[in-house]
Amino acid sequence: MATNYIKVSFEQSLNMPGKTAIIPVVMGDNIMTFTQKINSYLQLSPENKLSNIELQVDGKILNDQQTFESIRFQMKNGETVEDRTTLAIAYPKGRAPSGCTIL
């Protein structure tokens, strides 16, 4: 099975202008484990590490203890990394728009 990825960009109030992270998707990940992956990938210093975020992905919100499976995130089968990459936006907890649209 091919590895799938999420390309995360960051809502303006998170103060990470221009930063993006391409993170491998593990279906059992919840927002806390996924946040740790973002912090590790971006090599953020302890004072700049993200916490208390939610993720808008495929028109759904991943927050609290939900996993990618529980929000019914669909894995992709593609030939290239681009074909297997989903776009997402990280928001401070409670700030993701409730009327999400499919990205």
Side-chain angles (χ1 to χ4, degrees), residues 35-85:
T35 302
Q36 290 170 348
K37 287 182 179 184
I38 293 170
N39 288 331
S40 175
Y41 175 85
L42 293 176
Q43 299 180 342
L44 297 174
S45 62
E47 62 272 5
N48 292 328
K49 286 190 176 188
L50 294 174
S51 63
N52 293 321
I53 65 168
E54 40 191 36
L55 196 67
Q56 177 186 347
V57 56
D58 270 356
K60 301 170 183 81
I61 303 296
L62 179 70
N63 58 21
D64 299 322
Q65 290 301 309
Q66 298 166 313
T67 65
F68 284 99
E69 291 163 308
S70 68
I71 65 166
R72 294 184 170 82
F73 174 78
Q74 297 295 309
M75 298 290 275
K76 298 179 181 180
N77 293 316
E79 296 298 318
T80 66
V81 170
E82 291 79 18
D83 292 335
R84 296 187 304 267
T85 302

Side-chain angles (χ1 to χ4, degrees), residues 1-19:
M1 180 180 203
T3 301
N4 284 251
Y5 303 88
I6 291 185
K7 181 178 182 180
V8 182
S9 58
F10 302 93
E11 194 266 337
Q12 184 176 353
S13 66
L14 291 173
N15 295 321
M16 299 181 66
K19 288 194 187 263

